[in-house]
Amino acid sequence: MKVAYFSMEIGLNENIPTYSGGLGILAGDHIKSAADLNIPIVGITLLYKRGYFIQTINPMGHQEEIYPYFDPRAFMEPLPFKVTIKLEGRDVHIGVWKHNQAGIKGRVPVYFLDTDLPFNAPEDRLITQYLYGGDRHTRICQEMVLGIGGYLAMKRLERDITTYHLNEGHAVFLTLALLKDLDGSEEKVREKCVFTTHTPVPAGHDKFSYQLAESILGDYLPRNIRQLAGADQLNTTVLALNLSRASNGVSQLHGEISRQMFPGFNIGHITNGVHHLSWTGPEFMGLFDNHLPGWRENPQLLAEARKIPDDEIRRTKLNAKKRLISYVNGICAAGFTEEFLTICFARRATAYKRATLIFSDIEYLSNLALDRVQFIFAGKAHPQDEAGKLLIEEITHIAKQHEQKLRLVFLPNYNIWLASLMTQGTDVWLNTPRRPREASGTSGMKVCFNGGINMSVLDGWWREACNNRVNGWAIGDDEDQSDDEAVADLYKDLEDMVSTYYASPKQWVSIMKNSIADLTPVFNTHRMVMEYMHKYYI
Ligand SMILES: *Cc1c(COP(=O)(O)O)cnc(C)c1O
């Protein structure tokens, strides 16, 4: 068995800017757990030399985007060959860089594809420059480089691939290259491919006009492409579903929603996880090393976390929290203190995540929070997502306007580094998506490894994880809610949470412990990768 894991983004660490958010970090964590467990897998993605952007916030509260040049040479080595694809009838050459991701028991090569080569036409050199930049034309070219270029690179480098794992539909053109190599047998292609879909938001499923697809892909399109990929447009998800032997969503609820969205396909689910060694901060690492030796190899041992003494849990959390608070005060001169209950909200700034829901009644919120609660927000908006940018503006305006009565900051440039700091330091991780759009979510899982507590709508992973008021807080019940209903429930929970934190410290620690002991043994990528192994890879 050997798996080639194709993903448009793979986020391994903060030094390699080839990720934008959840999808890329999940891919990186998948690779890292496979390396720890010595599972034969290789990763394939694109090398974005101008990455995803660095975010700054100007004095008006507007997001500004900076695209510094990324020099990959410190992190990977160029391989001494090129593969060549025909794109719009031209030859486009693709270089391959190799990064070795080391784990506890093994290591996993990750191959980065790069069209920025001197003998390519200037416009072709730009194909792999920007992650999720450009228009439909750029996007289909990127997907062609990933799918078909990646497939050719695999033929050269890794001859014994038994399964191609398409992480999202972006890599689906590899099925067309396979189809050519396998005498047009859809059955044989299906035997080789598995597919994971990652979003219930329709716009998240890439579609291309057949006119564009024909001009870019040319001979790669089989005659019956409209049967395989949709009558009106080439839908990458439909094509992937048709040419994979198995498909899955990334949480139980997302599996259900995906079956409704794509009736007639057999779609299962494997709930996402996070790589425990990447997301547990130094404070809790030390604590777990002392009390639960062996947890690094086997995170299921964290189920015993309830035996750690209360005061050690408390002290460890306080130390991680101090690290976060001192960063906040350094950047914003906000006068935050580790004595106050700290609530963080950080995720992609996009409408359905409803970052501003908690500010629906500022008067109420500031009374509740006065001298008791402080809020830290962060998140990037996609450069073309105007609604997302407005959310950031709104939050920064609220912070400024209500400075006297509401402790609130917005930290710029949410990335792996800042996500680590925030998920390690916070008491509470807030999540208020419009159900059921959050396919899984993973940031809340990171919090559990650091003694933090989730308060979230019952969407994605949290719907499976939450035991209300025992290991965290549920906003609302197991059903879709209007914004007004969600706010009412959120405020009810907030009151309960604030009073628990200040009036029942013993109960608070017990919720922290349950958050660790109930949730980390399940919501990690070791469990997730093993599930992929047994259900889909072997
Ligand atoms: C973990 C992580 C995400 C994914 O978090 P969600 O819960 O899906 O919002 C996104 N961005 C960064 C930088 C992360 O570390």
Side-chain angles (χ1 to χ4, degrees), residues 87-154:
L87 188 153
E88 274 173 337
R90 299 190 299 284
D91 280 346
V92 174
H93 308 287
I94 302 169
V96 184
W97 297 72
K98 181 179 184 181
H99 167 85
N100 278 311
Q101 181 62 45
I104 292 179
K105 288 203 202 129
R107 53 187 200 158
V108 169
V110 180
Y111 299 108
F112 291 83
L113 308 173
D114 177 17
T115 64
D116 182 24
L117 305 174
F119 33 84
N120 277 332
E123 70 266 30
D124 294 333
R125 294 183 67 161
L126 289 175
I127 294 174
T128 59
Q129 275 314 285
Y130 298 94
L131 173 56
Y132 303 142
D135 54 11
R136 302 311 294 158
H137 182 270
T138 316
R139 176 63 76 89
I140 197 171
C141 290
Q142 289 187 327
E143 296 190 4
M144 175 131 178
V145 169
L146 177 63
I148 294 176
Y151 174 70
L152 295 177
M154 285 305 95

Side-chain angles (χ1 to χ4, degrees), residues 158-332:
E158 308 278 348
R159 289 173 175 278
D160 42 354
I161 299 294
T162 53
T163 293
Y164 294 87
H165 186 167
L166 284 67
N167 189 46
E168 242 331 335
H170 305 126
V172 76
F173 297 141
L174 98 85
T175 61
L176 303 181
L178 270 171
L179 202 55
K180 269 198 182 305
D181 269 5
L182 298 169
D183 313 316
S185 163
E186 289 163 24
E187 202 42 56
K188 285 188 185 156
V189 175
R190 238 173 258 132
E191 277 167 27
K192 289 198 168 292
C193 297
V194 302
F195 168 56
T196 303
T197 175
H198 283 270
T199 177
V201 180
H205 299 262
D206 267 337
K207 300 173 200 80
F208 301 106
S209 76
Y210 278 112
Q211 194 191 358
L212 179 62
E214 272 155 26
S215 82
I216 304 290
L217 287 148
D219 287 349
Y220 278 106
L221 288 183
R223 257 189 232 143
N224 63 342
I225 185 69
R226 283 165 201 259
Q227 261 164 291
L228 294 172
D232 306 326
Q233 282 190 300
L234 191 161
N235 183 321
T236 53
T237 303
V238 173
L239 182 57
L241 288 167
N242 269 313
L243 289 178
S244 299
R245 66 170 187 260
S247 301
N248 72 289
V250 290
S251 69
Q252 208 172 29
L253 181 60
H254 179 231
E256 285 168 28
I257 300 292
S258 302
R259 287 189 287 279
Q260 288 166 22
M261 286 177 79
F262 301 99
F265 293 104
N266 181 13
I267 305 174
H269 82 271
I270 292 179
T271 303
N272 284 342
V274 296
H275 183 244
H276 59 296
L277 298 172
S278 299
W279 295 106
T280 307
E283 297 84 3
F284 275 86
M285 281 241 173
L287 185 73
F288 296 152
D289 282 344
N290 282 341
H291 290 274
L292 305 165
W295 76 283
R296 290 179 181 242
E297 291 74 22
N298 178 9
Q300 287 185 20
L301 297 182
L302 296 175
E304 299 296 314
R306 272 176 284 255
K307 74 177 191 196
I308 303 173
D310 284 9
D311 56 335
E312 287 197 45
I313 296 265
R314 235 184 243 124
R315 191 164 0 104
T316 307
K317 180 80 247 183
L318 189 65
N319 286 337
K321 191 168 164 183
K322 280 182 179 157
R323 201 155 46 83
L324 169 61
I325 299 301
S326 89
Y327 179 77
V328 168
N329 289 339
I331 281 225
C332 308

